[in-house]
Amino acid sequence: MNTTDRPCQSPEPPSIRRAAESEMELVVDILAEAFADDPVLLWLSDDPSFPRFIFQIMVDLFRPEGGILVDSSGSAAAIYMPFGQRTPSAVTPAIAFRSLFALGRDF
């Protein structure tokens, strides 16, 4: 689904809130679309499904301890790890990205 197809349905500015578990796919879609032409992601892979793949991993890593936000219009999202928190996995986002970076376009 294209995020531009989800206009704000309220005359009020959208509010930002924690994403519900049922909205995780929406968050992945929003972030994948937003970063579809990101130079680093394009360098890693020119496969159009790659941004979605990366953000699915990120959402899964950040979901237990981090923050996943979405706006009320469903057109913006953010993921973050609160200060002092760590992912419960041995594979941190930094390790995942360094591994992907090392693989480069052969991924």
Side-chain angles (χ1 to χ4, degrees):
M1 178 182 292
N2 187 324
T3 55
T4 58
D5 296 336
R6 294 187 297 264
C8 183
Q9 298 177 1
S10 170
E12 298 176 23
S15 60
I16 299 170
R17 59 178 171 70
R18 287 197 182 277
E21 192 65 32
S22 62
E23 296 175 302
M24 294 302 144
E25 289 301 313
L26 172 64
V27 170
V28 170
D29 289 343
I30 291 168
L31 294 172
E33 183 178 336
F35 286 87
D37 59 354
D38 179 75
V40 173
L41 292 183
L42 288 171
W43 179 83
L44 287 168
S45 174
D46 58 0
D47 182 333
S49 66
F50 187 69
R52 189 171 205 309
F53 170 76
I54 289 296
F55 286 108
Q56 185 65 60
I57 292 170
M58 298 298 289
V59 164
D60 290 345
L61 282 172
F62 282 50
R63 187 181 308 172
E65 301 295 331
I68 301 177
L69 305 175
V70 67
D71 78 332
S72 59
S73 73
S75 62
I79 56 176
Y80 69 96
M81 185 62 64
F83 181 77
Q85 294 289 328
R86 298 191 182 273
T87 60
S89 169
V91 179
T92 65
I95 291 171
F97 275 110
R98 272 185 287 208
S99 299
L100 290 170
F101 185 77
L103 293 171
R105 296 181 65 89
D106 295 331
F107 178 79

